Structures are given as structure tokens and as C-alpha cells.
Amino acid sequence: MTSTAPDVLAADVLRLLVARGETLGVAESLTGGLVAAELTGVPGASQVFVGSVTAYATRVKRDLLGVDAALLAERGAVDPEVALQMAQGARRALGTDWGIATTGVAGPDPQDGHEVGTVCVAVTGPAYAGASPAAGPYVAPGCPGDGKVVALRLNGDRAEIRRESARSVLGLLADQLHGNARAQDTEQNGES
């Protein structure tokens, strides 16, 4: 993932989505709307940004985003597979091409056995429809080809962890969109 500022990442993501004619939906837990705020801070975001679900409560993850109840009961809300299912749920609920999600522990106290700074960010989109999950730091088991999840261990206070989580999920999406664009360019140029 890149280490660019969130506002720059948001503008980059939106520019790429506009060029591709694709849309984005967001599911946020620990970031509580920060990702959506970064995106809507960019003029013209409404061309591709459909909306977000702030799924702070576990029941919202389950009932609105469709995260598996057994998974939530077994592992809690801070889990890579939960993050992936949140991204898929945002995509489904908002009718978008791409979905991204954040879940984790911003602090000040640990949650469900997870230390402060434990964060998972996820992306899913058309690039993953039936694709091989060969690339990526983590692909959720049981979800081959359905997206990409990165588990993070962040340092800092609550505000810093939330900001870095927002930056990380935008960076993950930017990396996927740039990687997709490079793959399409290579394919169009007849290279392999």
C-alpha cells in the first residue's frame, strides 16, 4: 500500500473510478465516516461515490451488510473475513462496482481480545469476479477471488489510528485500481 495522504489518495481513487466509469461504496466501523469524509471532500465525488454505511454496531454489520452471524459470534467484529464481508455488503447494499471496508480497535481499550491498533481493511470489486487471488498480503479463506484484505497493527492514539485506517483502505483501493489499469494496459498492448 502507498503512504500518501488520505486527501491525495481520495482524489486519485475518484479520478481512476471516473475514468473507468465505475462506482464506489464504503462500509466503516472504527473510522466512523472518515473515509466517506475524505471522498466527499473532493469536488466531483458524486460522479462515482454512491454512499457509505457506518456499521459501528455488530448488529448493523450483520443485518445491513450481511456479515455472517456465526463468523461474528466466533471471531468478533475485528477479523479479516469480517472486513471482506463488510466490503462485499457495502457493494451489494449500495449497488456499486467497488466496495471498501474498515474494522478494528481504535482504543483507548482493547476489544474482544484484540489490542488497540488491530485493524483490517478490505476491498472488493470487478477485478475479483472469478479471479485468482494470487496477489495480495491476505486473501480471506473461503472467499477465493472475492477481494483483498490487509490486517494491520497501527500505533498512535485513537485519532491517529482512525486516520491511518482511512488512509490504508484508500491506499489499498488505489493500489488495486492502479494495478488493474497496468494489467489492462499490458493486455491491450499485447504484452504478457
Coordinates of all heavy atoms in Angstrom, one line a residue, residues 83-162:
A83 N -14.0 -8.0 7.7 CA -13.8 -6.8 6.8 C -14.1 -7.1 5.4 O -14.8 -6.2 4.7 CB -12.3 -6.4 6.9
L84 N -13.8 -8.3 4.9 CA -14.1 -8.6 3.5 C -15.6 -8.7 3.3 O -16.2 -8.1 2.3 CB -13.5 -9.9 3.1 CG -13.8 -10.4 1.6 CD1 -13.2 -9.3 0.6 CD2 -13.1 -11.7 1.4
Q85 N -16.3 -9.3 4.2 CA -17.8 -9.4 4.1 C -18.4 -8.0 4.2 O -19.5 -7.7 3.6 CB -18.4 -10.4 5.1 CG -18.0 -11.8 4.8 CD -18.7 -12.8 5.7 OE1 -19.7 -12.5 6.3 NE2 -18.2 -14.0 5.8
M86 N -17.9 -7.1 5.0 CA -18.4 -5.7 5.1 C -18.2 -5.0 3.7 O -19.1 -4.4 3.3 CB -17.6 -5.0 6.2 CG -18.0 -5.3 7.6 SD -17.0 -4.5 8.8 CE -17.4 -2.8 8.5
A87 N -17.1 -5.2 3.1 CA -16.8 -4.6 1.8 C -17.8 -5.2 0.7 O -18.4 -4.4 -0.1 CB -15.4 -4.8 1.3
Q88 N -18.0 -6.5 0.8 CA -19.0 -7.1 -0.1 C -20.4 -6.6 0.2 O -21.1 -6.3 -0.8 CB -18.9 -8.6 0.0 CG -17.6 -9.2 -0.5 CD -17.4 -10.6 0.0 OE1 -18.0 -11.1 1.0 NE2 -16.6 -11.4 -0.8
G89 N -20.7 -6.4 1.4 CA -22.0 -6.0 1.8 C -22.3 -4.5 1.4 O -23.4 -4.2 1.0
A90 N -21.2 -3.7 1.5 CA -21.4 -2.3 1.0 C -21.6 -2.3 -0.5 O -22.5 -1.6 -1.0 CB -20.1 -1.5 1.4
R91 N -20.9 -3.1 -1.2 CA -21.0 -3.2 -2.6 C -22.4 -3.6 -3.0 O -23.1 -3.0 -3.9 CB -20.0 -4.1 -3.2 CG -19.9 -4.2 -4.7 CD -18.7 -5.1 -5.1 NE -18.7 -5.2 -6.5 CZ -18.3 -6.3 -7.2 NH1 -17.7 -7.3 -6.5 NH2 -18.3 -6.3 -8.5
R92 N -22.9 -4.6 -2.3 CA -24.3 -5.2 -2.6 C -25.4 -4.2 -2.2 O -26.3 -3.9 -2.9 CB -24.4 -6.5 -1.8 CG -25.6 -7.3 -2.1 CD -25.6 -8.7 -1.4 NE -25.1 -8.6 0.0 CZ -23.9 -9.1 0.4 NH1 -23.1 -9.6 -0.5 NH2 -23.6 -9.0 1.7
A93 N -25.3 -3.7 -0.9 CA -26.3 -2.8 -0.4 C -26.4 -1.5 -1.2 O -27.5 -0.9 -1.4 CB -26.1 -2.5 1.1
L94 N -25.3 -1.0 -1.7 CA -25.3 0.3 -2.3 C -25.3 0.2 -3.9 O -25.3 1.2 -4.6 CB -24.1 1.1 -1.9 CG -24.1 1.5 -0.4 CD1 -22.7 2.0 0.1 CD2 -25.2 2.4 0.0
G95 N -25.2 -1.0 -4.4 CA -25.2 -1.3 -5.8 C -24.0 -0.7 -6.5 O -24.2 -0.1 -7.6
T96 N -22.8 -0.9 -6.0 CA -21.6 -0.3 -6.6 C -20.7 -1.3 -7.2 O -20.8 -2.5 -7.0 CB -20.9 0.5 -5.5 OG1 -20.5 -0.4 -4.5 CG2 -21.7 1.7 -5.0
D97 N -19.8 -0.9 -8.0 CA -18.8 -1.7 -8.7 C -17.7 -2.2 -7.6 O -17.3 -3.3 -7.7 CB -18.1 -1.0 -9.8 CG -19.1 -0.7 -10.9 OD1 -19.7 -1.6 -11.5 OD2 -19.3 0.5 -11.2
W98 N -17.4 -1.2 -6.8 CA -16.3 -1.5 -5.8 C -16.9 -1.2 -4.4 O -17.7 -0.4 -4.2 CB -15.1 -0.5 -6.0 CG -14.4 -0.8 -7.2 CD1 -14.6 -0.3 -8.5 CD2 -13.2 -1.7 -7.4 NE1 -13.7 -0.8 -9.4 CE2 -12.8 -1.7 -8.7 CE3 -12.5 -2.4 -6.4 CZ2 -11.8 -2.4 -9.2 CZ3 -11.4 -3.2 -6.9 CH2 -11.1 -3.2 -8.3
G99 N -16.4 -2.0 -3.4 CA -16.7 -1.8 -2.0 C -15.4 -1.9 -1.2 O -14.5 -2.7 -1.5
I100 N -15.3 -1.0 -0.2 CA -14.2 -1.0 0.7 C -14.7 -1.0 2.1 O -15.8 -0.5 2.4 CB -13.2 0.2 0.5 CG1 -13.9 1.5 0.6 CG2 -12.5 0.0 -0.9 CD1 -12.9 2.7 0.4
A101 N -13.9 -1.5 3.1 CA -14.4 -1.5 4.4 C -13.2 -1.4 5.4 O -12.1 -1.7 5.1 CB -15.1 -2.8 4.7
T102 N -13.6 -0.9 6.6 CA -12.6 -0.8 7.7 C -13.3 -1.4 9.0 O -14.5 -1.2 9.2 CB -12.2 0.7 8.1 OG1 -13.4 1.4 8.5 CG2 -11.6 1.4 6.9
T103 N -12.5 -2.1 9.7 CA -12.9 -2.6 11.1 C -11.7 -2.7 11.9 O -10.6 -3.0 11.4 CB -13.8 -3.9 11.0 OG1 -14.3 -4.2 12.3 CG2 -12.9 -5.1 10.5
G104 N -11.8 -2.5 13.2 CA -10.7 -2.6 14.1 C -10.9 -1.9 15.4 O -12.0 -1.6 15.8
V105 N -9.8 -1.8 16.2 CA -9.9 -1.3 17.5 C -9.0 0.0 17.6 O -7.8 0.0 17.5 CB -9.3 -2.3 18.5 CG1 -9.4 -1.7 20.0 CG2 -10.0 -3.6 18.4
A106 N -9.7 1.2 17.7 CA -9.0 2.5 17.8 C -8.6 2.8 19.2 O -7.8 3.7 19.4 CB -9.9 3.5 17.2
G107 N -9.2 2.2 20.2 CA -8.9 2.5 21.6 C -9.9 3.4 22.2 O -10.8 3.8 21.6
P108 N -9.6 3.7 23.4 CA -8.4 3.5 24.2 C -8.2 2.1 24.8 O -7.1 1.8 25.2 CB -8.4 4.6 25.3 CG -9.9 4.7 25.6 CD -10.6 4.5 24.2
D109 N -9.2 1.3 24.8 CA -9.1 0.0 25.4 C -9.2 -1.1 24.4 O -9.8 -1.0 23.3 CB -10.3 -0.2 26.4 CG -10.3 0.8 27.5 OD1 -9.2 1.1 28.0 OD2 -11.4 1.4 27.8
P110 N -8.6 -2.3 24.7 CA -8.7 -3.5 23.8 C -10.2 -3.9 23.7 O -11.0 -3.5 24.5 CB -8.0 -4.6 24.5 CG -7.1 -3.9 25.5 CD -7.8 -2.6 25.9
Q111 N -10.5 -4.6 22.6 CA -11.9 -5.1 22.3 C -11.9 -6.5 21.9 O -11.1 -6.9 21.0 CB -12.5 -4.2 21.2 CG -13.8 -4.6 20.8 CD -14.3 -3.8 19.6 OE1 -14.0 -2.6 19.4 NE2 -15.1 -4.4 18.7
D112 N -12.7 -7.3 22.5 CA -12.8 -8.7 22.1 C -11.5 -9.5 22.0 O -11.3 -10.2 21.1 CB -13.6 -8.9 20.8 CG -15.0 -8.3 20.9 OD1 -15.6 -8.4 22.0 OD2 -15.5 -7.8 19.9
G113 N -10.6 -9.1 22.9 CA -9.3 -9.8 22.8 C -8.3 -9.2 21.8 O -7.2 -9.8 21.7
H114 N -8.6 -8.2 21.2 CA -7.8 -7.5 20.2 C -7.2 -6.3 20.8 O -7.9 -5.5 21.4 CB -8.5 -7.2 18.9 CG -9.0 -8.3 18.2 ND1 -8.2 -9.2 17.5 CD2 -10.3 -8.8 18.1 CE1 -9.0 -10.2 17.0 NE2 -10.2 -10.0 17.3
E115 N -5.9 -6.1 20.6 CA -5.2 -4.9 21.1 C -5.6 -3.7 20.4 O -6.0 -3.7 19.2 CB -3.7 -5.1 21.0 CG -3.1 -6.2 22.0 CD -3.4 -5.9 23.4 OE1 -3.2 -4.7 23.8 OE2 -3.8 -6.8 24.2
V116 N -5.4 -2.5 21.0 CA -5.6 -1.3 20.3 C -4.6 -1.2 19.1 O -3.5 -1.6 19.2 CB -5.3 -0.1 21.3 CG1 -5.3 1.3 20.6 CG2 -6.4 -0.1 22.4
G117 N -5.2 -0.7 18.0 CA -4.4 -0.7 16.8 C -4.5 -1.8 15.8 O -3.9 -1.9 14.8
T118 N -5.3 -2.9 16.3 CA -5.6 -4.0 15.4 C -6.6 -3.6 14.4 O -7.7 -3.2 14.8 CB -6.0 -5.2 16.2 OG1 -5.1 -5.5 17.2 CG2 -6.3 -6.4 15.3
V119 N -6.3 -3.6 13.1 CA -7.2 -3.1 12.1 C -7.2 -4.0 10.9 O -6.2 -4.5 10.5 CB -6.8 -1.6 11.7 CG1 -7.6 -1.1 10.5 CG2 -6.9 -0.7 12.8
C120 N -8.3 -4.1 10.2 CA -8.4 -4.9 9.0 C -9.1 -3.9 8.0 O -10.2 -3.3 8.3 CB -9.3 -6.1 9.1 SG -8.6 -7.3 10.3
V121 N -8.5 -3.8 6.8 CA -9.1 -3.1 5.7 C -9.3 -4.0 4.5 O -8.5 -4.9 4.3 CB -8.3 -1.8 5.3 CG1 -8.2 -0.9 6.5 CG2 -6.9 -2.2 4.9
A122 N -10.4 -3.8 3.8 CA -10.7 -4.7 2.7 C -11.2 -3.9 1.4 O -11.8 -2.9 1.6 CB -11.8 -5.7 3.1
V123 N -11.0 -4.6 0.3 CA -11.5 -4.1 -1.0 C -12.1 -5.2 -1.8 O -11.5 -6.3 -1.7 CB -10.4 -3.3 -1.8 CG1 -9.3 -4.2 -2.1 CG2 -11.0 -2.7 -3.1
T124 N -13.2 -5.0 -2.5 CA -13.7 -6.0 -3.4 C -14.3 -5.2 -4.6 O -14.7 -4.1 -4.4 CB -14.8 -6.9 -2.7 OG1 -15.1 -7.9 -3.6 CG2 -16.0 -6.1 -2.3
G125 N -14.3 -5.8 -5.7 CA -14.8 -5.2 -6.9 C -14.7 -6.1 -8.1 O -14.4 -7.3 -8.0
P126 N -14.9 -5.5 -9.3 CA -15.0 -6.3 -10.5 C -13.7 -7.0 -10.8 O -13.7 -8.1 -11.5 CB -15.3 -5.3 -11.6 CG -15.0 -4.0 -11.0 CD -15.2 -4.1 -9.5
A127 N -12.6 -6.6 -10.3 CA -11.3 -7.2 -10.6 C -11.3 -8.6 -9.9 O -10.5 -9.4 -10.3 CB -10.2 -6.4 -10.0
Y128 N -12.2 -8.8 -8.9 CA -12.1 -10.1 -8.2 C -13.2 -11.1 -8.6 O -13.3 -12.2 -8.1 CB -12.3 -9.8 -6.7 CG -11.1 -9.0 -6.2 CD1 -11.2 -7.6 -6.0 CD2 -9.9 -9.6 -6.0 CE1 -10.2 -6.9 -5.5 CE2 -8.8 -8.8 -5.6 CZ -8.9 -7.5 -5.4 OH -7.9 -6.7 -5.0
A129 N -14.0 -10.7 -9.6 CA -15.1 -11.6 -10.0 C -14.5 -12.8 -10.7 O -14.0 -12.7 -11.9 CB -16.0 -10.9 -11.0
G130 N -14.4 -13.9 -10.0 CA -13.8 -15.1 -10.6 C -12.4 -15.1 -10.8 O -11.8 -16.1 -11.4
A131 N -11.7 -14.1 -10.3 CA -10.2 -14.0 -10.5 C -9.5 -14.9 -9.5 O -10.0 -15.2 -8.4 CB -9.8 -12.6 -10.3
S132 N -8.3 -15.2 -9.8 CA -7.4 -16.0 -8.9 C -6.9 -15.0 -7.9 O -6.4 -13.9 -8.2 CB -6.2 -16.6 -9.7 OG -5.3 -17.0 -8.7
P133 N -6.9 -15.4 -6.6 CA -6.4 -14.5 -5.5 C -4.9 -14.5 -5.3 O -4.4 -14.4 -4.2 CB -7.2 -15.0 -4.3 CG -7.3 -16.5 -4.6 CD -7.5 -16.6 -6.0
A134 N -4.2 -14.7 -6.4 CA -2.7 -14.9 -6.2 C -2.0 -13.7 -5.6 O -1.1 -13.9 -4.8 CB -2.1 -15.2 -7.6
A135 N -2.4 -12.5 -5.9 CA -1.7 -11.3 -5.4 C -2.3 -10.9 -4.1 O -3.5 -11.0 -3.9 CB -1.8 -10.2 -6.4
G136 N -1.5 -10.4 -3.2 CA -2.0 -9.8 -2.0 C -1.5 -10.3 -0.7 O -1.2 -11.5 -0.7
P137 N -1.4 -9.5 0.3 CA -0.9 -9.9 1.6 C -1.8 -10.9 2.3 O -1.4 -11.7 3.1 CB -0.8 -8.6 2.3 CG -1.5 -7.6 1.6 CD -1.7 -8.1 0.2
Y138 N -3.1 -10.8 2.0 CA -4.1 -11.7 2.7 C -5.3 -11.8 1.8 O -5.9 -10.8 1.4 CB -4.5 -11.2 4.0 CG -5.4 -12.1 4.8 CD1 -5.0 -13.1 5.6 CD2 -6.8 -11.9 4.6 CE1 -5.8 -13.9 6.3 CE2 -7.7 -12.8 5.3 CZ -7.2 -13.8 6.1 OH -8.0 -14.6 6.7
V139 N -5.7 -13.0 1.5 CA -7.0 -13.3 0.9 C -7.7 -14.2 1.8 O -7.3 -15.2 2.3 CB -6.8 -14.0 -0.5 CG1 -8.2 -14.3 -1.1 CG2 -6.0 -13.0 -1.4
A140 N -8.9 -13.7 2.2 CA -9.7 -14.4 3.2 C -10.0 -15.9 2.8 O -10.5 -16.1 1.7 CB -11.0 -13.7 3.5
P141 N -9.7 -16.8 3.7 CA -10.1 -18.2 3.3 C -11.6 -18.4 3.1 O -12.4 -17.7 3.8 CB -9.7 -19.0 4.6 CG -8.9 -18.1 5.4 CD -9.2 -16.7 5.0
G142 N -11.9 -19.2 2.2 CA -13.3 -19.4 1.9 C -13.9 -18.4 1.0 O -15.1 -18.4 0.6
C143 N -13.1 -17.4 0.6 CA -13.6 -16.3 -0.3 C -12.6 -16.1 -1.4 O -12.2 -15.0 -1.7 CB -13.7 -15.0 0.5 SG -14.7 -15.1 1.9
P144 N -12.2 -17.2 -2.1 CA -11.2 -17.1 -3.2 C -11.7 -16.2 -4.3 O -12.8 -16.2 -4.7 CB -11.1 -18.5 -3.7 CG -12.3 -19.2 -3.3 CD -12.8 -18.6 -2.0
G145 N -10.8 -15.2 -4.6 CA -11.1 -14.3 -5.7 C -12.1 -13.2 -5.4 O -12.4 -12.5 -6.2
D146 N -12.6 -13.1 -4.2 CA -13.6 -12.2 -3.9 C -13.1 -10.8 -3.4 O -13.9 -9.9 -3.1 CB -14.6 -12.8 -2.8 CG -15.5 -13.8 -3.4 OD1 -15.5 -13.9 -4.6 OD2 -16.1 -14.6 -2.6
G147 N -11.9 -10.7 -3.1 CA -11.3 -9.4 -2.7 C -10.0 -9.5 -2.0 O -9.4 -10.6 -2.0
K148 N -9.6 -8.4 -1.4 CA -8.3 -8.4 -0.8 C -8.5 -7.7 0.6 O -9.2 -6.8 0.7 CB -7.3 -7.6 -1.6 CG -5.9 -7.6 -1.2 CD -5.1 -6.8 -2.2 CE -3.7 -7.4 -2.3 NZ -2.9 -6.7 -3.3
V149 N -7.8 -8.3 1.6 CA -7.8 -7.8 2.9 C -6.4 -7.7 3.4 O -5.6 -8.5 3.2 CB -8.6 -8.8 3.9 CG1 -8.7 -8.3 5.3 CG2 -10.0 -9.1 3.3
V150 N -6.2 -6.6 4.2 CA -4.9 -6.4 4.8 C -5.2 -6.2 6.3 O -6.0 -5.4 6.7 CB -4.2 -5.1 4.2 CG1 -2.9 -4.9 5.0 CG2 -3.9 -5.3 2.8
A151 N -4.5 -7.0 7.1 CA -4.5 -6.9 8.5 C -3.4 -6.0 9.0 O -2.2 -6.2 8.6 CB -4.4 -8.3 9.2
L152 N -3.7 -5.0 9.8 CA -2.7 -4.0 10.2 C -2.5 -4.0 11.7 O -3.4 -4.3 12.4 CB -3.1 -2.6 9.8 CG -3.4 -2.4 8.3 CD1 -4.1 -1.1 8.0 CD2 -2.1 -2.5 7.5
R153 N -1.4 -3.6 12.1 CA -1.1 -3.3 13.6 C -0.6 -1.9 13.6 O 0.6 -1.6 13.3 CB -0.1 -4.3 14.1 CG 0.2 -4.1 15.6 CD -1.0 -4.3 16.5 NE -0.7 -4.1 17.9 CZ -0.9 -3.0 18.5 NH1 -1.4 -2.0 17.9 NH2 -0.6 -2.9 19.8
L154 N -1.5 -0.9 14.0 CA -1.2 0.5 13.9 C -0.8 1.0 15.3 O -1.3 0.6 16.3 CB -2.3 1.3 13.4 CG -2.8 0.8 12.0 CD1 -4.0 1.6 11.6 CD2 -1.7 1.0 11.0
N155 N 0.0 2.0 15.4 CA 0.4 2.7 16.6 C -0.2 4.1 16.6 O -0.5 4.6 15.6 CB 1.9 2.8 16.7 CG 2.6 1.4 16.8 OD1 2.1 0.6 17.6 ND2 3.6 1.2 16.0
G156 N -0.3 4.6 17.8 CA -0.8 6.0 18.0 C -2.0 6.1 18.9 O -2.5 5.0 19.4
D157 N -2.5 7.3 19.0 CA -3.7 7.4 19.8 C -5.0 7.1 18.9 O -4.8 6.8 17.7 CB -3.8 8.8 20.4 CG -3.9 10.0 19.4 OD1 -4.3 9.7 18.2 OD2 -3.6 11.1 19.7
R158 N -6.1 7.2 19.5 CA -7.4 6.9 18.8 C -7.5 7.6 17.5 O -7.8 7.0 16.5 CB -8.6 7.2 19.7 CG -9.9 6.9 19.2 CD -11.0 7.1 20.2 NE -12.3 6.9 19.7 CZ -12.9 5.7 19.5 NH1 -12.2 4.6 19.9 NH2 -14.1 5.6 19.0
A159 N -7.3 8.9 17.5 CA -7.4 9.7 16.3 C -6.4 9.3 15.2 O -6.8 9.2 14.0 CB -7.3 11.2 16.6
E160 N -5.2 9.1 15.6 CA -4.2 8.6 14.7 C -4.5 7.3 14.0 O -4.3 7.1 12.8 CB -2.8 8.6 15.3 CG -2.3 10.0 15.7 CD -1.1 9.9 16.7 OE1 -1.0 9.0 17.5 OE2 -0.2 10.8 16.6
I161 N -5.0 6.4 14.9 CA -5.3 5.0 14.4 C -6.5 5.1 13.4 O -6.5 4.5 12.3 CB -5.7 4.1 15.5 CG1 -4.4 3.7 16.3 CG2 -6.3 2.8 15.0 CD1 -4.6 3.0 17.6
R162 N -7.5 5.9 13.7 CA -8.6 6.1 12.8 C -8.2 6.8 11.4 O -8.6 6.3 10.4 CB -9.7 7.0 13.4 CG -10.3 6.2 14.6 CD -11.4 7.0 15.3 NE -12.5 7.2 14.5 CZ -13.1 8.4 14.2 NH1 -12.6 9.5 14.8 NH2 -14.1 8.5 13.5

